[in-house]
Amino acid sequence: MYHLKVFLIILFEMIKTKLLIFIVPVLCSFFGCSGGDKENKEISDNQAFHLEIVDSIRVDYLGDLEITDIHQETGEIIGFNFKTNDLVIFDQTGKIIEQFSRGGDRPNPINSMVSLGFYQGDKLLVANNNGKLAVFKKNGEHIEDIPLPFQIQYFNWSQRKKIYSLSDSLLLGQLAKIKNIEGYEEYYLNFIDLKTGNLTPVLSIPDISKYSSGDHYGPLYPYITKFDNFLYMTLSNEPSLHIYELEGSDLNYLETVAFGNADFVEVIPSTDPDSFDFDRNYGHMDAGDVQGFFDVGNWLVAYYRNGINAVNYSADISEDPILNRKKNPCFLAVFDQNHKLLRRGVEVPLNVASIQGTMPDGKLLAKKNKMLFDKEEDFEIYYLMELVPN
């Protein structure tokens, strides 16, 4: 979170000096305002949970891997080093199956991804900054490019898969084309017809969301996740789960379930990006943020932090990422498969840096927090965690 804050401060300064359009690749969205005002489901007071670290995976790789996808049949895991462009595929024992780099000016590079994941069995589907969707073998051999009517722009607010295969001829993908800094038209979801190359926008922010009000709340950072025929969207400073159902080529908004409480620190909005008080929001407090959504088998979980309000904030917290994490821990909100909120505030262990995906058996895959513990010299450690009812 410390590094994200530094990035956001730099980004805001570029916006103010009008340099953003020359430096940051621009994005676009067809987000609109739709949906209903369904009441949130009530939380159950008699259901409690805790997280247990039940196992770990040691990967004999020297570097910093971010997990972008986990194969839900084989359990194979894709890790990518965004500094070196190394792509590493390993199994649940930590055995490296494939390792290669296709960065730099090599033909058909794999770098600066906006999406990297398994595709049609053992293939890889990559969307990167040379403007293409590309298909590779698992060993890195380029197979084909998928044409699109625009060049994909690079703005990777999260290192994870954002394109899903619905059939042999249809993809559902969160891709970026143009960024409009005048509003929230920044990110969008499309059906991608592989036969024609046509894109059809399908996702909108529901009216119940504060992000549909027209006020500016800083960077949007949506997380969109697909499980079965449901699509789930969470937005950075809003502790709410927006639920959609996929029916063929139609995506219908169903409901929104809030999971925040009084401790969640809301961003102080502005009427437009130019008047947004970035220092007040990120220099004098830590806004709450939602960082992901996962299916753990019997339950669904949202991954978030409450933030630190201005009263409890200090310069020490701002300058020390370890202290920041201790004062601002991560939590899970737990839902059943019918989207009823069962519990919020299930604390994530401090020795977990970030939750990065879900294994086929429902265990959460988490990266070890190296800031709080001795850093390994020649290997990476990932934890496997189970959500356990008390």
Side-chain angles (χ1 to χ4, degrees):
M1 187 62 193
Y2 172 77
H3 299 294
L4 175 60
K5 181 184 293 186
V6 173
F7 166 76
L8 292 175
I9 292 171
I10 295 172
L11 180 63
F12 179 67
E13 292 301 321
M14 290 193 297
I15 292 175
K16 291 197 299 184
T17 58
K18 306 300 184 183
L19 292 176
L20 181 64
I21 57 175
F22 300 105
I23 300 175
V24 179
V26 288
L27 309 174
C28 178
S29 158
F30 289 93
F31 278 128
C33 298
S34 68
D37 294 325
K38 289 191 177 184
E39 293 183 0
N40 295 328
K41 297 183 179 181
E42 293 296 324
I43 188 170
S44 171
D45 289 330
N46 55 12
Q47 182 74 67
F49 299 87
H50 67 277
L51 272 174
E52 287 185 5
I53 296 175
V54 296
D55 205 348
S56 63
I57 300 175
R58 168 177 165 156
V59 183
D60 289 324
Y61 172 82
L62 177 61
D64 190 14
L65 293 176
E66 295 290 340
I67 304 305
T68 66
D69 196 18
I70 300 171
H71 200 296
Q72 289 306 302
E73 294 180 3
T74 66
E76 292 178 349
I77 301 162
I78 300 178
F80 192 78
N81 188 327
F82 281 79
K83 295 179 180 178
T84 64
N85 298 310
D86 289 341
L87 193 155
V88 180
I89 300 176
F90 57 95
D91 65 17
Q92 297 180 65
T93 70
K95 177 184 176 182
I96 294 177
I97 299 168
E98 300 287 352
Q99 180 178 340
F100 57 86
S101 176
R102 291 192 66 107
D105 57 0
R106 296 177 178 87
N108 303 302
I110 300 178
N111 57 17
S112 301
M113 276 100 56
V114 294
S115 182
L116 167 62
F118 289 108
Y119 175 66
Q120 294 182 347
D122 279 348
K123 300 187 187 75
L124 304 177
L125 184 65
V126 179
N128 67 3
N129 69 341
N130 39 336
K132 298 177 182 178
L133 286 180
V135 182
F136 293 84
K137 291 184 179 179
K138 198 164 62 173
N139 63 4
E141 179 184 340
H142 179 256
I143 299 175
E144 63 176 334
D145 292 324
I146 297 174
L148 292 174
F150 64 83
Q151 179 170 325
I152 299 169
Q153 299 292 331
Y154 173 63
F155 192 88
N156 198 3
W157 62 97
S158 70
Q159 287 82 28
R160 56 183 200 90
K161 178 179 180 179
K162 302 185 186 72
I163 300 176
Y164 302 93
S165 178
L166 303 182
S167 70
D168 290 341
S169 60
L170 193 65
L171 302 178
L172 183 66
Q174 188 179 5
L175 300 175
K177 179 184 178 185
I178 299 173
K179 183 178 182 181
N180 178 359
I181 63 173
E182 300 303 321
Y184 286 112
E185 296 180 347
E186 297 181 358
Y187 311 97
Y188 61 94
L189 195 76
N190 289 281
F191 287 114
I192 305 169
D193 190 322
L194 299 182
K195 293 181 178 179
T196 65
N198 292 334
L199 277 71
T200 305
V202 293
L203 189 64
S204 60
I205 296 178
D207 291 342
I208 197 171
S209 169
K210 73 180 184 183
Y211 283 94
S212 69
S213 68
D215 287 338
H216 187 76
Y217 291 88
L220 184 59
Y221 295 131
Y223 289 87
I224 297 173
T225 310
K226 178 183 176 294
F227 299 129
D228 298 324
N229 291 326
F230 292 99
L231 205 74
Y232 303 95
M233 178 170 67
T234 57
L235 304 170
S236 53
N237 186 241
E238 184 175 68
S240 294
L241 178 64
H242 304 296
I243 305 164
Y244 302 78
E245 187 171 18
L246 186 64
E247 297 180 354
S249 59
D250 294 322
L251 189 65
N252 302 310
Y253 169 71
L254 294 182
E255 62 179 325
T256 293
V257 182
F259 56 85
N261 58 22
D263 293 329
F264 192 86
V265 179
E266 299 276 354
V267 163
I268 302 167
S270 63
T271 56
D272 56 64
D274 289 336
S275 62
F276 185 73
D277 192 337
F278 203 93
D279 186 55
R280 183 181 181 191
N281 277 293
Y282 295 98
H284 298 286
M285 69 179 196
D286 251 341
D289 61 301
V290 183
Q291 302 178 10
F293 188 74
F294 305 99
D295 184 344
V296 295
N298 293 325
W299 305 285
L300 304 167
V301 296
Y303 177 46
Y304 70 100
R305 304 187 320 152
N306 282 322
I308 306 172
N309 61 32
V311 174
N312 297 318
Y313 198 70
S314 69
D316 291 340
I317 292 175
S318 174
E319 296 168 0
D320 187 344
I322 297 177
L323 180 61
N324 184 290
R325 176 62 194 274
K326 290 179 178 179
K327 296 290 186 179
N328 189 11
C330 295
F331 297 99
L332 297 182
V334 183
F335 306 80
D336 67 17
Q337 292 290 339
N338 294 316
H339 308 131
K340 179 182 178 181
L341 178 62
L342 302 177
R343 177 63 58 181
R344 58 189 163 218
V346 179
E347 190 160 352
V348 177
L350 191 62
N351 51 338
V352 167
S354 61
I355 297 175
Q356 305 216 325
T358 312
M359 302 300 293
D361 60 2
K363 292 185 178 70
L364 288 164
L365 182 71
K367 195 171 185 178
K368 180 178 179 180
N369 193 336
K370 293 182 179 179
M371 291 190 301
L372 298 178
F373 300 90
D374 293 336
K375 185 174 181 179
E376 290 80 18
E377 294 182 354
D378 57 358
F379 56 87
E380 287 273 290
I381 290 290
Y382 296 90
Y383 296 125
L384 293 173
M385 300 190 299
E386 284 185 350
L387 182 66
V388 180
N390 290 346

